[in-house]
């Protein structure tokens, strides 16, 4: 019913910038929260950022990316973005777009997400 497709992953040098996109399609009128998660090999999935569609597009960020990453959305083309600046090798991971139908909106709660994309790989070299 809802499809999410990430794009924009690439290999970049530390200190560089990259913007990821998540194309949202299908029945989306009941989506009130979207978020980005990431997972590095052999590590647990961690939340990166969230945007509360039903609450003034308020955003939340993990401490590890606060001040460097920006989550936003374009309501015209139904696309979610993650702008990443001053990238660090520790940011290397597969990044996933996720959407939630309801409930509290936060990057903390991946288990509450109802839809997931397949991910896009970001590699940051030193």
């Amino acid at each position: 019913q809802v499809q999410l497709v990430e794009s924009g992953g690439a290999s970049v040098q530390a200190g560089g910038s990259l913007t990821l996109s998540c194309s949202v399609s299908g029945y989306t009128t009941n989506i009130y929260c979207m978020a980005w998660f990431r997972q590095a090999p052999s590590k647990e999935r961690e939340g990166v950022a969230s945007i509360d569609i039903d609450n003034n597009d308020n955003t939340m960020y993990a401490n590890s990316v606060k001040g460097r990453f920006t989550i936003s959305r374009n309501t015209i083309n139904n696309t979610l973005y993650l702008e990443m600046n001053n990238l660090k090798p520790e940011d290397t991971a597969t990044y996933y777009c996720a959407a939630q139908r309801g409930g509290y909106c936060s990057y903390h709660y991946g288990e509450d997400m109802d839809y997931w994309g397949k991910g896009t790989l970001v590699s940051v070299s030193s």
Side-chain angles (χ1 to χ4, degrees):
Q1 195 170 45
V2 174
Q3 295 82 42
L4 308 175
V5 180
E6 304 95 337
S7 62
S11 296
V12 298
Q13 290 187 311
S17 298
L18 192 66
T19 297
L20 306 181
S21 299
C22 173
S23 177
V24 185
S25 61
Y27 185 75
T28 61
T29 57
N30 63 341
I31 297 299
Y32 297 113
C33 176
M34 297 199 72
W36 288 96
F37 296 82
R38 67 186 182 185
Q39 187 169 21
S42 302
K43 295 186 67 177
E44 299 292 325
R45 181 187 65 198
E46 62 176 346
V48 175
S50 59
I51 183 166
D52 193 341
I53 295 170
D54 203 37
N55 189 15
N56 301 313
D57 277 1
N58 286 343
T59 58
M60 298 178 63
Y61 298 91
N63 288 334
S64 59
V65 306
K66 195 173 300 180
R68 299 188 297 120
F69 290 12
T70 301
I71 186 172
S72 64
R73 68 188 186 102
N74 186 314
T75 59
I76 302 303
N77 62 9
N78 296 315
T79 303
L80 181 75
Y81 300 97
L82 183 67
E83 180 184 349
M84 305 182 293
N85 299 305
N86 191 25
L87 283 162
K88 304 175 180 180
E90 307 94 272
D91 296 318
T92 295
T94 297
Y95 284 71
Y96 298 91
C97 173
Q100 182 178 339
R101 292 192 296 266
Y104 182 66
C105 183
S106 173
Y107 66 87
H108 285 104
Y109 307 115
E111 64 271 20
D112 291 337
M113 299 294 145
D114 298 296
Y115 307 99
W116 292 86
K118 290 184 170 63
T120 185
L121 179 62
V122 174
S123 297
V124 184
S125 61
S126 60

